[in-house]
Amino acid sequence: MKRRTLMTAAGLVLAATTAGAAADGLPFRKVADMLYRVMSADREVYTRMVVQRLTVDRDILTASEHFEDDEALPLPAQMFRFGAEAVMDHTEEFSHALLSLHPINRKNGPGTELEKRGLEHVAGNPGENFYGEEELGGERYFAAVYPDYAVVEACVACHNNHKDSSRTDLEVGDVMGGIVIRIAMD
């Protein structure tokens, strides 16, 4: 419960920042870029300082998609999803997700044409982001897709060795997928 409370607090801060920034006239792209910087930094810090350090460098713990049953660390993708879910519990102003053209969990594949184009763009143009607008459920959204990199050996080993992975040739530094951020425009 403590984990959920901390993530909810962080999500509410991001949501308040987004809503306030959009209302104050900051461009949607700038707001999305700011959100991405926070999300990406949190994701990288957890991956480097917790997962890589404790599972690979020191071999103290394991990380597992079944972390509760295995008494292990949650995977970085799971931590990202927990944060996204906490944000969605408290705002409709924006949402975010970690998606891939080669997801281990099929639910994390592109669900819209914009997501697919964005993921293809960041995969084919490392270092570049993708921006667009789309309508979902009668609502208009600004959408941004940012590259998600394999930042450490733990990322590569997990993805390359997972039984459900369709890609087994990842190297540190490769684009594994993308962080998709949507901001309501209306």
Side-chain angles (χ1 to χ4, degrees):
M1 189 59 155
K2 191 176 210 179
R3 174 189 74 211
R4 180 103 170 144
T5 303
L6 290 173
M7 288 187 295
T8 300
L12 289 173
V13 169
L14 285 173
T17 301
T18 302
D24 290 340
L26 280 177
F28 290 111
R29 181 176 175 160
K30 184 167 183 72
V31 174
D33 288 351
M34 291 187 302
L35 289 169
Y36 167 72
R37 283 198 240 359
V38 172
M39 292 172 196
S40 178
D42 285 348
R43 181 163 160 70
E44 183 172 344
V45 166
Y46 176 73
T47 302
R48 284 185 190 280
M49 302 300 291
V50 178
V51 176
Q52 175 72 23
R53 185 172 65 87
L54 296 178
T55 66
V56 176
D57 297 345
R58 296 198 180 154
D59 195 24
I60 296 171
L61 295 169
T62 59
S64 169
E65 61 194 307
H66 307 288
F67 65 93
E68 291 174 316
D69 294 334
D70 295 345
E71 296 185 11
L73 297 171
L75 298 172
Q78 291 171 306
M79 288 296 289
F80 194 87
R81 188 184 76 238
F82 296 150
E85 289 170 354
V87 168
M88 289 180 66
D89 286 346
H90 297 281
T91 184
E92 295 178 9
E93 298 290 329
F94 83 98
S95 64
H96 62 287
L98 184 62
L99 303 177
S100 177
L101 294 170
H102 307 281
I104 289 174
N105 180 339
R106 300 295 171 227
K107 293 187 297 186
N108 295 329
T112 68
E113 184 58 35
L114 183 138
E115 289 173 349
K116 184 178 181 211
R117 284 194 335 262
L119 291 169
E120 289 170 346
H121 181 84
V122 299
N125 302 282
E128 290 186 22
N129 306 325
F130 177 88
Y131 303 96
E133 294 179 16
E134 65 183 340
E135 187 173 314
L136 300 171
E139 302 289 328
R140 287 181 346 128
Y141 293 90
F142 175 83
V145 181
Y146 302 88
D148 182 58
Y149 298 100
V151 295
V152 293
E153 184 58 37
C155 302
V156 171
C158 180
H159 282 259
N160 286 345
N161 297 317
H162 195 284
K163 65 180 179 57
D164 296 327
S165 182
S166 65
R167 185 169 178 199
T168 58
D169 63 344
L170 283 169
E171 296 180 12
V172 172
D174 285 351
V175 174
M176 297 188 306
I179 294 174
V180 178
I181 298 173
R182 276 195 184 82
I183 302 171
M185 296 179 74
D186 298 325

